[in-house]
Amino acid sequence: MIIGGSASQSLAAEVAKELNDKLCSVETKKFPDGERYFRIKDEIPEDEKVIIIQSTGYPQDENMMELFFILDTLSDMNIDDITVVSPYLGYSRQERRFKEVECISAKAISKLLQSMGVKHLISINLHEESICDLYDIPVDNLSAMPSIAEYIRENHEDKKPIILAPDKGAENFAKQIAEILNTDYDYLEKVRLSPEKVKTKTKSISVENRSVIIVDDIISTGGTIVNAINILKENGAKLVDVVCVHPVLVNDAILKISAAGANKIHGTNTLKSEVAHISVATTIADHLKSLENQ
C-alpha cells in the first residue's frame, strides 16, 4: 500500500499505477495557525508493507512534520514494515560540521526518521553520497539521470546536443546522460590567466553553433546557471536549455535564468514546480520492484 504525502501526491499516484498497488486514501489539511492535520482513511492490515512517498523540500518544516505524523499514525496502527521514499530529502545540504558546535542537520534528520520506525529510506540524487552513512538502515540513493536522458531523447529538437555540467562537481551527471544519448559532454572550468584574471570556459569541447543542455542536481537561486549561460552565449552556443533533478528555484530564479537566455528550463517532479516536466515515477517503481524480487 502506498501513502502519498501532501508534497508528493501526484508522484505517489503515478508510482502506485506503475506498480498496480493500492494508493491509500488520506486526509491532510493545514489549520489557520499553520499547524498540520493528517488522517489515514483506509484500513491497513498489520502485516501490510507500506511505502510513504513524501518529498521534504520547501516548506521543509511542514513537509517533514507531516512525514513524522504519517509515521506516528502507522506506528499506532502497529504497521512495522515501512519504507520512506523522499525524492528530495530536506535538510541534507549539511552532512558535516563546518564550524565548531553547529548542528549537522542531515544527521539530526537521520536520527528522527530511524526513531520513528523507518526500515528503509529511498531518495534521489542526494546532495552527498556520504549522507547514506548517517543511517543504520538501508538507504538507496537513486539517479534521475536515465529519466532526464529519456526526456531529452523524446523532446529535444537536437538529437546530439552537448550535455554540460556547470562545474567539475556535476561532471558525472553530464557524463551519465551523454552516455545514454551517445553524445558529447563537458564541464566548465576556471583557468587562471594571471594573478588577477580568471577565465571560465568549457574544458575541452567548443560550443560554437551547438545546442547545449546544462545539467545539475539542484538549482536554488540560479546564480551558477546564469553564469554558465552567459559563458556559453559568449562562446557562440546556438541554443541553451537547462535541466536539473531538484528544481528548488527560490525567489526569482526562473526569471533570472530565462532572462539570461535559457531556451527552456526543465526539472523532475521530486519537487512541485512549474518546470517539473520530467517524472521519476518509473525510476522509483522499478527500484521498488527490484527490492521485492531480492
Side-chain angles (χ1 to χ4, degrees):
M1 187 171 286
I2 293 176
I3 295 176
S6 297
S8 302
Q9 288 182 345
S10 294
L11 178 57
E14 286 185 55
V15 173
K17 184 176 181 180
E18 292 214 19
L19 294 175
N20 197 27
D21 280 345
K22 179 176 173 59
L23 185 63
C24 185
S25 179
V26 301
E27 180 183 355
T28 64
K29 62 184 177 182
K30 185 162 66 171
F31 293 109
D33 63 358
E35 292 189 357
R36 299 202 69 83
Y37 170 91
F38 178 83
R39 181 171 77 94
I40 293 175
K41 298 170 74 173
D42 288 336
E43 289 188 14
I44 305 177
E46 290 185 7
D47 60 350
E48 183 84 11
K49 178 173 183 176
V50 175
I51 297 165
I52 305 168
I53 301 180
Q54 167 78 334
S55 269
T56 49
Y58 180 84
Q60 291 90 335
D61 296 357
E62 285 189 18
N63 290 326
M64 194 69 76
M65 188 59 71
E66 183 178 295
L67 176 57
F68 295 151
F69 285 179
I70 298 171
L71 289 167
D72 191 62
T73 305
L74 291 172
S75 175
D76 290 345
M77 298 170 72
N78 296 315
I79 307 298
D80 186 55
D81 192 350
I82 303 171
T83 294
V84 168
V85 179
S86 189
Y88 180 88
L89 186 61
Y91 290 106
S92 291
R93 298 176 80 171
Q94 182 158 5
E95 81 291 346
R96 57 193 174 94
R97 187 168 282 124
F98 298 94
K99 296 179 181 178
E100 187 177 355
V101 202
E102 66 180 3
C103 178
I104 304 173
S105 56
K107 179 165 68 71
I109 294 301
S110 75
K111 290 180 178 178
L112 286 167
L113 287 175
Q114 291 177 110
S115 71
M116 301 201 73
V118 178
K119 295 295 188 293
H120 200 138
L121 175 65
I122 300 170
S123 192
I124 294 181
N125 291 109
L126 288 165
H127 185 57
E128 294 289 346
E129 187 69 31
S130 60
I131 290 170
C132 300
D133 298 331
L134 299 174
Y135 290 79
D136 297 321
I137 59 173
V139 179
D140 300 334
N141 184 22
L142 310 184
S143 174
M145 300 312 146
S147 296
I148 291 173
E150 190 58 33
Y151 185 86
I152 293 171
R153 191 200 308 277
E154 293 178 358
N155 294 278
H156 200 270
E157 55 202 68
D158 188 339
K159 300 307 176 186
K160 292 287 183 180
I162 296 173
I163 310 300
L164 184 89
D167 51 42
K168 175 67 174 174
E171 181 189 10
N172 190 49
F173 302 137
K175 181 180 179 182
Q176 288 180 55
I177 293 171
E179 286 179 346
I180 295 171
L181 297 177
N182 191 27
T183 191
D184 299 325
Y185 75 93
D186 205 349
Y187 68 92
L188 294 179
E189 68 167 356
K190 291 181 180 179
V191 179
R192 185 164 293 281
L193 304 178
S194 70
E196 295 81 25
K197 192 173 182 181
V198 174
K199 181 180 180 181
T200 303
K201 65 180 189 66
T202 52
K203 172 69 175 175
S204 56
I205 296 176
S206 171
V207 300
E208 187 172 359
N209 206 33
R210 295 283 303 273
S211 294
V212 182
I213 299 177
I214 303 171
V215 61
D216 210 347
D217 58 342
I218 299 173
I219 300 179
S220 185
T221 63
T224 298
I225 301 301
V226 167
N227 181 56
I229 293 170
N230 291 335
I231 292 165
L232 293 172
K233 292 288 187 179
E234 289 169 6
N235 285 274
K238 178 176 67 176
L239 188 77
V240 180
D241 284 359
V242 175
V243 180
C244 68
V245 180
H246 307 299
V248 175
L249 298 168
V250 296
N251 300 327
D252 58 351
I254 293 176
L255 178 63
K256 288 194 298 185
I257 293 169
S258 298
N263 177 50
K264 293 179 181 177
I265 308 169
H266 303 292
T268 79
N269 58 348
T270 61
L271 292 169
K272 289 181 181 178
S273 170
E274 63 184 272
V275 304
H277 308 138
I278 305 168
S279 179
V280 292
T282 298
T283 296
I284 294 169
D286 286 349
H287 185 70
L288 291 170
K289 288 176 189 173
S290 72
L291 294 176
E292 287 298 315
N293 294 329
Q294 286 180 2

Tab-separated table of all heavy atoms in Angstrom, residues 128-176:
chain	number	residue	atom	x	y	z
A	128	GLU	N	24.969	14.639	-1.103
A	128	GLU	CA	26.251	13.936	-0.944
A	128	GLU	C	25.971	12.464	-0.667
A	128	GLU	O	25.093	12.132	0.137
A	128	GLU	CB	27.075	14.519	0.212
A	128	GLU	CG	27.558	15.945	-0.004
A	128	GLU	CD	28.658	16.059	-1.047
A	128	GLU	OE1	29.222	15.000	-1.406
A	128	GLU	OE2	28.944	17.188	-1.491
A	129	GLU	N	26.714	11.565	-1.284
A	129	GLU	CA	26.550	10.130	-1.064
A	129	GLU	C	26.817	9.760	0.387
A	129	GLU	O	26.245	8.798	0.917
A	129	GLU	CB	27.506	9.355	-1.975
A	129	GLU	CG	27.325	7.850	-1.956
A	129	GLU	CD	26.033	7.394	-2.603
A	129	GLU	OE1	25.555	8.058	-3.543
A	129	GLU	OE2	25.491	6.350	-2.155
A	130	SER	N	27.666	10.543	1.062
A	130	SER	CA	28.032	10.251	2.450
A	130	SER	C	26.845	10.351	3.403
A	130	SER	O	26.918	9.867	4.537
A	130	SER	CB	29.149	11.198	2.919
A	130	SER	OG	28.722	12.554	2.830
A	131	ILE	N	25.745	10.965	2.964
A	131	ILE	CA	24.540	11.045	3.808
A	131	ILE	C	24.047	9.643	4.153
A	131	ILE	O	23.533	9.395	5.245
A	131	ILE	CB	23.445	11.863	3.100
A	131	ILE	CG1	23.857	13.334	3.052
A	131	ILE	CG2	22.093	11.720	3.811
A	131	ILE	CD1	22.984	14.196	2.180
A	132	CYS	N	24.223	8.701	3.234
A	132	CYS	CA	23.788	7.314	3.473
A	132	CYS	C	24.467	6.730	4.709
A	132	CYS	O	23.875	5.901	5.412
A	132	CYS	CB	24.097	6.438	2.257
A	132	CYS	SG	23.277	6.972	0.732
A	133	ASP	N	25.695	7.166	4.984
A	133	ASP	CA	26.461	6.623	6.105
A	133	ASP	C	25.943	7.098	7.451
A	133	ASP	O	26.352	6.575	8.500
A	133	ASP	CB	27.941	7.003	5.965
A	133	ASP	CG	28.567	6.430	4.698
A	133	ASP	OD1	28.111	5.368	4.252
A	133	ASP	OD2	29.496	7.065	4.152
A	134	LEU	N	25.044	8.101	7.452
A	134	LEU	CA	24.486	8.608	8.705
A	134	LEU	C	23.378	7.709	9.242
A	134	LEU	O	22.896	7.918	10.349
A	134	LEU	CB	23.946	10.028	8.501
A	134	LEU	CG	24.957	11.096	8.062
A	134	LEU	CD1	24.232	12.407	7.765
A	134	LEU	CD2	26.026	11.304	9.124
A	135	TYR	N	22.961	6.720	8.450
A	135	TYR	CA	21.843	5.859	8.813
A	135	TYR	C	22.313	4.446	9.149
A	135	TYR	O	23.304	3.954	8.591
A	135	TYR	CB	20.836	5.778	7.658
A	135	TYR	CG	20.074	7.054	7.413
A	135	TYR	CD1	20.652	8.117	6.717
A	135	TYR	CD2	18.771	7.216	7.880
A	135	TYR	CE1	19.944	9.298	6.485
A	135	TYR	CE2	18.061	8.383	7.648
A	135	TYR	CZ	18.659	9.418	6.954
A	135	TYR	OH	17.967	10.583	6.735
A	136	ASP	N	21.584	3.810	10.054
A	136	ASP	CA	21.826	2.401	10.380
A	136	ASP	C	20.857	1.486	9.639
A	136	ASP	O	20.850	0.279	9.862
A	136	ASP	CB	21.682	2.181	11.897
A	136	ASP	CG	22.722	2.970	12.682
A	136	ASP	OD1	23.875	3.050	12.213
A	136	ASP	OD2	22.377	3.518	13.741
A	137	ILE	N	20.004	2.051	8.818
A	137	ILE	CA	19.064	1.290	7.994
A	137	ILE	C	19.515	1.402	6.536
A	137	ILE	O	20.324	2.280	6.201
A	137	ILE	CB	17.614	1.832	8.133
A	137	ILE	CG1	17.561	3.313	7.714
A	137	ILE	CG2	17.097	1.634	9.551
A	137	ILE	CD1	16.176	3.895	7.648
A	138	PRO	N	19.021	0.540	5.646
A	138	PRO	CA	19.390	0.672	4.230
A	138	PRO	C	18.909	2.006	3.651
A	138	PRO	O	17.771	2.410	3.875
A	138	PRO	CB	18.660	-0.507	3.565
A	138	PRO	CG	18.391	-1.472	4.662
A	138	PRO	CD	18.191	-0.660	5.901
A	139	VAL	N	19.796	2.681	2.933
A	139	VAL	CA	19.460	3.925	2.245
A	139	VAL	C	19.862	3.774	0.779
A	139	VAL	O	21.022	3.496	0.484
A	139	VAL	CB	20.179	5.146	2.858
A	139	VAL	CG1	19.821	6.412	2.090
A	139	VAL	CG2	19.838	5.303	4.332
A	140	ASP	N	18.901	3.930	-0.118
A	140	ASP	CA	19.164	3.806	-1.549
A	140	ASP	C	19.115	5.188	-2.187
A	140	ASP	O	18.092	5.884	-2.099
A	140	ASP	CB	18.133	2.891	-2.213
A	140	ASP	CG	18.158	1.479	-1.621
A	140	ASP	OD1	19.214	1.077	-1.105
A	140	ASP	OD2	17.123	0.804	-1.672
A	141	ASN	N	20.221	5.563	-2.822
A	141	ASN	CA	20.330	6.865	-3.478
A	141	ASN	C	20.203	6.653	-4.984
A	141	ASN	O	21.169	6.285	-5.650
A	141	ASN	CB	21.678	7.501	-3.114
A	141	ASN	CG	21.828	8.901	-3.685
A	141	ASN	OD1	20.838	9.570	-3.994
A	141	ASN	ND2	23.065	9.345	-3.839
A	142	LEU	N	19.009	6.860	-5.513
A	142	LEU	CA	18.750	6.603	-6.928
A	142	LEU	C	19.190	7.783	-7.791
A	142	LEU	O	19.333	8.902	-7.306
A	142	LEU	CB	17.264	6.332	-7.153
A	142	LEU	CG	16.588	5.298	-6.249
A	142	LEU	CD1	15.141	5.086	-6.692
A	142	LEU	CD2	17.348	3.985	-6.251
A	143	SER	N	19.381	7.517	-9.077
A	143	SER	CA	19.764	8.568	-10.020
A	143	SER	C	18.606	8.888	-10.948
A	143	SER	O	17.962	7.994	-11.507
A	143	SER	CB	20.971	8.132	-10.851
A	143	SER	OG	21.251	9.097	-11.858
A	144	ALA	N	18.355	10.180	-11.127
A	144	ALA	CA	17.318	10.625	-12.058
A	144	ALA	C	17.857	10.785	-13.472
A	144	ALA	O	17.093	11.115	-14.394
A	144	ALA	CB	16.725	11.946	-11.578
A	145	MET	N	19.155	10.535	-13.680
A	145	MET	CA	19.752	10.803	-14.993
A	145	MET	C	19.129	9.977	-16.126
A	145	MET	O	18.925	10.508	-17.224
A	145	MET	CB	21.273	10.620	-14.941
A	145	MET	CG	21.959	11.538	-13.948
A	145	MET	SD	21.444	13.273	-14.077
A	145	MET	CE	21.542	13.758	-12.356
A	146	PRO	N	18.803	8.687	-15.916
A	146	PRO	CA	18.135	7.956	-17.008
A	146	PRO	C	16.795	8.577	-17.402
A	146	PRO	O	16.474	8.653	-18.593
A	146	PRO	CB	17.960	6.551	-16.425
A	146	PRO	CG	19.082	6.408	-15.443
A	146	PRO	CD	19.202	7.773	-14.820
A	147	SER	N	16.020	9.030	-16.423
A	147	SER	CA	14.734	9.676	-16.722
A	147	SER	C	14.948	10.982	-17.479
A	147	SER	O	14.212	11.301	-18.426
A	147	SER	CB	13.957	9.954	-15.429
A	147	SER	OG	13.612	8.763	-14.768
A	148	ILE	N	15.960	11.739	-17.069
A	148	ILE	CA	16.271	13.002	-17.745
A	148	ILE	C	16.736	12.734	-19.179
A	148	ILE	O	16.297	13.404	-20.124
A	148	ILE	CB	17.338	13.785	-16.961
A	148	ILE	CG1	16.755	14.283	-15.634
A	148	ILE	CG2	17.871	14.949	-17.789
A	148	ILE	CD1	17.770	14.933	-14.711
A	149	ALA	N	17.601	11.735	-19.345
A	149	ALA	CA	18.107	11.402	-20.684
A	149	ALA	C	16.967	10.996	-21.614
A	149	ALA	O	16.916	11.415	-22.783
A	149	ALA	CB	19.141	10.286	-20.589
A	150	GLU	N	16.040	10.200	-21.093
A	150	GLU	CA	14.910	9.756	-21.915
A	150	GLU	C	14.023	10.939	-22.305
A	150	GLU	O	13.524	11.009	-23.439
A	150	GLU	CB	14.098	8.708	-21.154
A	150	GLU	CG	13.055	7.999	-21.992
A	150	GLU	CD	13.629	7.284	-23.201
A	150	GLU	OE1	14.773	6.774	-23.119
A	150	GLU	OE2	12.933	7.250	-24.242
A	151	TYR	N	13.852	11.874	-21.386
A	151	TYR	CA	13.051	13.064	-21.690
A	151	TYR	C	13.719	13.882	-22.793
A	151	TYR	O	13.044	14.364	-23.718
A	151	TYR	CB	12.873	13.908	-20.428
A	151	TYR	CG	11.965	15.102	-20.632
A	151	TYR	CD1	10.587	14.970	-20.493
A	151	TYR	CD2	12.475	16.343	-20.985
A	151	TYR	CE1	9.735	16.059	-20.687
A	151	TYR	CE2	11.640	17.434	-21.190
A	151	TYR	CZ	10.274	17.284	-21.039
A	151	TYR	OH	9.445	18.359	-21.251
A	152	ILE	N	15.022	14.043	-22.694
A	152	ILE	CA	15.762	14.780	-23.729
A	152	ILE	C	15.633	14.070	-25.078
A	152	ILE	O	15.381	14.696	-26.105
A	152	ILE	CB	17.245	14.925	-23.331
A	152	ILE	CG1	17.383	15.844	-22.105
A	152	ILE	CG2	18.064	15.482	-24.503
A	152	ILE	CD1	18.777	15.869	-21.510
A	153	ARG	N	15.788	12.751	-25.070
A	153	ARG	CA	15.697	11.976	-26.310
A	153	ARG	C	14.339	12.183	-27.003
A	153	ARG	O	14.251	12.299	-28.223
A	153	ARG	CB	15.897	10.494	-26.014
A	153	ARG	CG	16.088	9.631	-27.279
A	153	ARG	CD	15.794	8.170	-26.996
A	153	ARG	NE	16.499	7.645	-25.856
A	153	ARG	CZ	17.759	7.197	-25.866
A	153	ARG	NH1	18.450	7.209	-26.993
A	153	ARG	NH2	18.297	6.715	-24.757
A	154	GLU	N	13.284	12.219	-26.198
A	154	GLU	CA	11.940	12.295	-26.761
A	154	GLU	C	11.502	13.719	-27.105
A	154	GLU	O	10.625	13.900	-27.949
A	154	GLU	CB	10.933	11.700	-25.772
A	154	GLU	CG	11.090	10.196	-25.572
A	154	GLU	CD	10.109	9.651	-24.551
A	154	GLU	OE1	9.342	10.463	-23.971
A	154	GLU	OE2	10.112	8.430	-24.320
A	155	ASN	N	12.121	14.738	-26.476
A	155	ASN	CA	11.586	16.086	-26.620
A	155	ASN	C	12.537	17.129	-27.204
A	155	ASN	O	12.073	18.167	-27.678
A	155	ASN	CB	11.110	16.592	-25.249
A	155	ASN	CG	9.940	15.812	-24.714
A	155	ASN	OD1	8.800	16.053	-25.077
A	155	ASN	ND2	10.226	14.849	-23.843
A	156	HIS	N	13.836	16.876	-27.175
A	156	HIS	CA	14.762	17.903	-27.642
A	156	HIS	C	14.899	17.858	-29.155
A	156	HIS	O	15.020	16.786	-29.743
A	156	HIS	CB	16.135	17.748	-26.977
A	156	HIS	CG	16.957	18.998	-27.020
A	156	HIS	ND1	17.820	19.301	-28.053
A	156	HIS	CD2	17.034	20.042	-26.155
A	156	HIS	CE1	18.393	20.472	-27.831
A	156	HIS	NE2	17.935	20.942	-26.684
A	157	GLU	N	14.897	19.032	-29.776
A	157	GLU	CA	14.948	19.096	-31.245
A	157	GLU	C	16.289	18.643	-31.815
A	157	GLU	O	16.349	18.162	-32.949
A	157	GLU	CB	14.639	20.524	-31.704
A	157	GLU	CG	15.536	21.569	-31.074
A	157	GLU	CD	14.929	22.973	-31.081
A	157	GLU	OE1	13.947	23.197	-30.371
A	157	GLU	OE2	15.476	23.819	-31.810
A	158	ASP	N	17.351	18.804	-31.045
A	158	ASP	CA	18.689	18.381	-31.487
A	158	ASP	C	18.990	17.017	-30.863
A	158	ASP	O	18.993	16.880	-29.644
A	158	ASP	CB	19.728	19.411	-31.045
A	158	ASP	CG	21.105	19.151	-31.635
A	158	ASP	OD1	21.370	18.004	-32.051
A	158	ASP	OD2	21.919	20.092	-31.657
A	159	LYS	N	19.244	16.023	-31.668
A	159	LYS	CA	19.480	14.671	-31.157
A	159	LYS	C	20.906	14.471	-30.660
A	159	LYS	O	21.218	13.440	-30.059
A	159	LYS	CB	19.152	13.629	-32.236
A	159	LYS	CG	17.699	13.685	-32.719
A	159	LYS	CD	16.719	13.602	-31.550
A	159	LYS	CE	15.282	13.760	-31.996
A	159	LYS	NZ	14.343	13.811	-30.855
A	160	LYS	N	21.781	15.434	-30.894
A	160	LYS	CA	23.167	15.322	-30.436
A	160	LYS	C	23.622	16.605	-29.728
A	160	LYS	O	24.630	17.218	-30.101
A	160	LYS	CB	24.099	15.033	-31.627
A	160	LYS	CG	23.918	13.670	-32.268
A	160	LYS	CD	24.481	12.579	-31.371
A	160	LYS	CE	24.373	11.217	-32.043
A	160	LYS	NZ	24.925	10.139	-31.184
A	161	PRO	N	22.899	17.041	-28.715
A	161	PRO	CA	23.325	18.258	-28.007
A	161	PRO	C	24.541	17.962	-27.129
A	161	PRO	O	24.807	16.812	-26.770
A	161	PRO	CB	22.113	18.597	-27.149
A	161	PRO	CG	21.502	17.257	-26.842
A	161	PRO	CD	21.718	16.432	-28.086
A	162	ILE	N	25.266	19.005	-26.783
A	162	ILE	CA	26.329	18.869	-25.784
A	162	ILE	C	25.666	18.899	-24.410
A	162	ILE	O	24.866	19.776	-24.112
A	162	ILE	CB	27.350	20.015	-25.891
A	162	ILE	CG1	28.085	19.975	-27.229
A	162	ILE	CG2	28.360	19.943	-24.734
A	162	ILE	CD1	28.987	21.183	-27.459
A	163	ILE	N	25.986	17.921	-23.578
A	163	ILE	CA	25.498	17.903	-22.197
A	163	ILE	C	26.589	18.515	-21.327
A	163	ILE	O	27.710	17.995	-21.277
A	163	ILE	CB	25.171	16.474	-21.724
A	163	ILE	CG1	24.275	15.754	-22.741
A	163	ILE	CG2	24.512	16.525	-20.355
A	163	ILE	CD1	22.938	16.414	-22.994
A	164	LEU	N	26.280	19.610	-20.679
A	164	LEU	CA	27.301	20.389	-19.986
A	164	LEU	C	27.016	20.514	-18.497
A	164	LEU	O	25.905	20.871	-18.101
A	164	LEU	CB	27.395	21.789	-20.597
A	164	LEU	CG	28.512	22.652	-20.013
A	164	LEU	CD1	29.810	22.437	-20.783
A	164	LEU	CD2	28.135	24.115	-20.006
A	165	ALA	N	28.023	20.221	-17.680
A	165	ALA	CA	27.931	20.465	-16.235
A	165	ALA	C	28.448	21.876	-15.957
A	165	ALA	O	29.433	22.300	-16.569
A	165	ALA	CB	28.767	19.442	-15.474
A	166	PRO	N	27.819	22.608	-15.041
A	166	PRO	CA	28.272	23.968	-14.765
A	166	PRO	C	29.589	24.031	-13.998
A	166	PRO	O	30.198	25.090	-13.901
A	166	PRO	CB	27.131	24.557	-13.940
A	166	PRO	CG	26.478	23.378	-13.298
A	166	PRO	CD	26.606	22.257	-14.280
A	167	ASP	N	30.028	22.887	-13.452
A	167	ASP	CA	31.310	22.824	-12.759
A	167	ASP	C	31.775	21.369	-12.707
A	167	ASP	O	31.041	20.457	-13.099
A	167	ASP	CB	31.218	23.412	-11.338
A	167	ASP	CG	30.065	22.819	-10.533
A	167	ASP	OD1	29.847	21.587	-10.612
A	167	ASP	OD2	29.381	23.573	-9.825
A	168	LYS	N	32.982	21.169	-12.235
A	168	LYS	CA	33.564	19.824	-12.168
A	168	LYS	C	32.731	18.889	-11.294
A	168	LYS	O	32.607	17.686	-11.573
A	168	LYS	CB	34.989	19.927	-11.609
A	168	LYS	CG	35.702	18.602	-11.370
A	168	LYS	CD	36.008	17.870	-12.648
A	168	LYS	CE	36.850	16.627	-12.369
A	168	LYS	NZ	37.052	15.800	-13.589
A	169	GLY	N	32.117	19.419	-10.245
A	169	GLY	CA	31.350	18.591	-9.311
A	169	GLY	C	30.149	17.923	-9.942
A	169	GLY	O	29.704	16.872	-9.474
A	170	ALA	N	29.613	18.523	-11.004
A	170	ALA	CA	28.430	17.960	-11.665
A	170	ALA	C	28.792	17.191	-12.935
A	170	ALA	O	27.899	16.768	-13.672
A	170	ALA	CB	27.442	19.072	-11.991
A	171	GLU	N	30.081	17.007	-13.175
A	171	GLU	CA	30.504	16.346	-14.415
A	171	GLU	C	29.908	14.952	-14.567
A	171	GLU	O	29.522	14.534	-15.673
A	171	GLU	CB	32.031	16.255	-14.478
A	171	GLU	CG	32.542	15.602	-15.755
A	171	GLU	CD	34.034	15.307	-15.735
A	171	GLU	OE1	34.666	15.425	-14.652
A	171	GLU	OE2	34.579	14.953	-16.792
A	172	ASN	N	29.812	14.220	-13.457
A	172	ASN	CA	29.300	12.849	-13.537
A	172	ASN	C	27.851	12.805	-14.019
A	172	ASN	O	27.452	11.863	-14.723
A	172	ASN	CB	29.423	12.154	-12.176
A	172	ASN	CG	29.128	10.678	-12.266
A	172	ASN	OD1	29.662	9.966	-13.127
A	172	ASN	ND2	28.270	10.173	-11.400
A	173	PHE	N	27.060	13.825	-13.659
A	173	PHE	CA	25.677	13.882	-14.129
A	173	PHE	C	25.648	14.029	-15.654
A	173	PHE	O	24.901	13.337	-16.344
A	173	PHE	CB	24.920	15.049	-13.486
A	173	PHE	CG	24.891	15.010	-11.989
A	173	PHE	CD1	25.099	16.157	-11.240
A	173	PHE	CD2	24.655	13.821	-11.317
A	173	PHE	CE1	25.059	16.125	-9.855
A	173	PHE	CE2	24.614	13.779	-9.930
A	173	PHE	CZ	24.827	14.930	-9.197
A	174	ALA	N	26.475	14.949	-16.148
A	174	ALA	CA	26.535	15.165	-17.593
A	174	ALA	C	27.026	13.908	-18.309
A	174	ALA	O	26.503	13.542	-19.369
A	174	ALA	CB	27.460	16.346	-17.898
A	175	LYS	N	27.993	13.254	-17.720
A	175	LYS	CA	28.547	12.034	-18.330
A	175	LYS	C	27.487	10.937	-18.429
A	175	LYS	O	27.359	10.281	-19.469
A	175	LYS	CB	29.737	11.549	-17.514
A	175	LYS	CG	30.403	10.296	-18.075
A	175	LYS	CD	31.576	9.860	-17.225
A	175	LYS	CE	32.218	8.593	-17.786
A	175	LYS	NZ	33.350	8.130	-16.940
A	176	GLN	N	26.721	10.735	-17.341
A	176	GLN	CA	25.685	9.692	-17.350
A	176	GLN	C	24.669	9.929	-18.465
A	176	GLN	O	24.303	9.000	-19.207
A	176	GLN	CB	24.954	9.662	-16.002
A	176	GLN	CG	25.746	9.102	-14.846
A	176	GLN	CD	24.921	9.126	-13.567
A	176	GLN	OE1	23.810	8.603	-13.495
A	176	GLN	NE2	25.453	9.761	-12.537
